[in-house]
Amino acid sequence: MMPVQIKDYVDSYNLDENPQYWRKQLTIKGTLTDYFTLPGIKNLTDWIAPGENVTDETKYWNFYETFETKKAYTPNSTLMYGGGIYASAETCRWKFVGATYGDSSNDMKWDNAAAHLRLTESTSGEPGYIYMLEDKSNGIGYIRLWAARYKDDKGSGSFGVYISDDKGKTWEPIQTGIPIKKELTEYQFKVMHPGELRIKIGKTENSTAGIDIDNIHISDYYTTSSVENMLSPTNIRIWSSKGHLCFDTKMPEQIDIYLINGTLVKTEHIIGSGNIALPAGFYIVSIKNTATKIIVQ
């Protein structure tokens, strides 16, 4: 691994803001030097995007909330944690309860701001939360977000993620009691629920520790047929079913299965029709130097 200082390229190629470049090869030119105590590249002179089509990676990830626009937040009152409405041009309106717009130097955030959750009365009351005021169409596949404890606060805290299919009248927990860390940490939640949905994110304990939530990404719900792939013109076909990677090939082939971070999971020699047991998750499958992404439920 080699760290690269992107600086002026941040808006165009920051991987968190531009998931279409995940796992793509880019040509980078710059100065080879120490960076984060490792050999790295700084002072970029060129950054060449891949010539291949880059739209496939964002086919299902099309909902992004970054809480970047301060003027979009309208508080209910002068009370800091009295709540309010964040009217996002990116996604939808968000209701803040026991929460505020977190743009201070102590808020843990990407770029300008995050949603800052505490208690409804700051140091007492009910745990704070935020939720969508409009439905997201096309269901929900996965939810990704970044979270951390407010910089000056001590102790531990936790949060939960919920969905609603009845316009916010009731909320179904996806995961609760998730420990919050001091550093910004990325969390991912598997939902796989069709329909018109909303999400809620909130503290799940009554401590006075504040938490920051930022960069919420939501993918669409999809069925297994959505991720079926033809790997090459030699009629090698792979697809996913629950807990398995399925294949059909007329010729003997070697199949290499990787995690999305590049770790080799297993190598198999296949022929005919069959399946390979795999835990649920994202995988890169390589056959004959051709790679494709497969999602196993």
Side-chain angles (χ1 to χ4, degrees):
M1 183 180 69
M2 180 176 288
V4 178
Q5 184 185 51
I6 54 180
K7 287 184 72 175
D8 295 339
Y9 291 90
V10 63
D11 292 334
S12 299
Y13 296 109
N14 182 307
L15 294 184
D16 190 68
E17 302 290 340
N18 296 275
Q20 67 268 29
Y21 291 113
W22 293 346
R23 298 179 296 281
K24 296 295 190 296
Q25 293 184 356
L26 295 91
T27 300
I28 300 169
K29 298 179 182 179
T31 303
L32 183 63
T33 184
D34 287 342
Y35 187 40
F36 289 111
T37 70
L38 296 170
I41 298 178
K42 299 176 71 174
N43 305 318
L44 297 186
T45 59
D46 204 358
W47 183 302
I48 304 172
E52 62 185 295
N53 189 311
V54 297
T55 59
D56 289 344
E57 289 292 335
T58 55
K59 183 175 182 180
Y60 302 109
W61 292 90
N62 54 25
F63 184 105
Y64 303 89
E65 182 56 75
T66 59
F67 301 111
E68 287 301 289
T69 308
K70 185 173 184 178
K71 65 181 180 180
Y73 181 67
T74 304
N76 290 334
S77 67
T78 57
L79 298 175
M80 181 173 290
Y81 297 99
I85 301 291
Y86 185 82
S88 173
E90 296 177 88
T91 56
C92 65
R93 294 179 305 145
W94 292 80
K95 177 71 173 179
F96 282 47
V97 178
T100 190
Y101 188 76
D103 60 350
S104 75
S105 60
N106 286 329
D107 280 297
M108 304 297 287
K109 57 191 181 296
W110 285 98
D111 299 326
N112 296 323
H116 179 78
L117 284 55
R118 198 171 285 270
L119 299 175
T120 52
E121 304 295 331
S122 182
T123 58
S124 62
E126 299 299 315
Y129 54 90
I130 60 172
Y131 64 90
M132 295 164 54
L133 285 172
E134 283 86 38
D135 291 339
K136 177 194 175 298
S137 59
N138 301 320
I140 294 176
Y142 286 80
I143 300 171
R144 293 174 56 233
L145 60 86
W146 290 80
R149 191 171 70 241
Y150 184 74
K151 190 174 181 180
D152 277 354
D153 289 344
K154 308 295 182 182
S156 60
S158 64
F159 72 101
V161 177
Y162 312 81
I163 64 169
S164 173
D165 59 5
D166 57 6
K167 301 189 181 302
K169 294 178 182 177
T170 60
W171 296 94
E172 173 189 347
I174 298 301
Q175 190 171 341
T176 62
I178 306 160
I180 199 76
K181 298 181 180 180
K182 182 178 180 181
E183 302 82 11
L184 267 174
T185 303
E186 186 180 31
Y187 299 82
Q188 179 166 285
F189 308 92
K190 183 178 180 180
V191 179
M192 290 303 164
H193 196 305
E196 305 290 314
L197 301 174
R198 304 180 186 189
I199 71 167
K200 180 172 79 170
I201 303 165
K203 279 170 60 72
T204 53
E205 36 70 38
N206 286 302
S207 77
T208 58
I211 66 173
D212 290 310
I213 304 293
D214 202 5
N215 279 21
I216 302 169
H217 296 178
I218 307 175
S219 70
D220 293 343
Y221 169 78
Y222 53 82
T223 61
T224 54
S225 61
S226 301
V227 294
E228 187 171 327
N229 287 274
M230 295 291 290
L231 271 178
S232 76
T234 57
N235 293 322
I236 304 169
R237 190 166 66 96
I238 63 169
W239 67 98
S240 66
S241 64
K242 188 172 183 179
H244 293 86
L245 174 70
C246 304
F247 60 83
D248 181 64
T249 175
K250 296 180 180 179
M251 300 295 292
E253 300 289 352
Q254 176 177 306
I255 181 171
D256 299 308
I257 305 171
Y258 299 85
L259 298 177
I260 59 172
N261 64 7
T263 302
L264 179 65
V265 176
K266 60 177 61 180
T267 296
E268 300 277 354
H269 291 85
I270 61 173
I271 187 171
S273 299
N275 60 73
I276 301 168
L278 289 172
F282 291 80
Y283 297 92
I284 302 297
V285 179
S286 175
I287 300 178
K288 288 186 173 180
N289 297 319
T290 301
T292 190
K293 180 176 70 175
I294 286 292
I295 304 171
V296 176
Q297 299 182 25

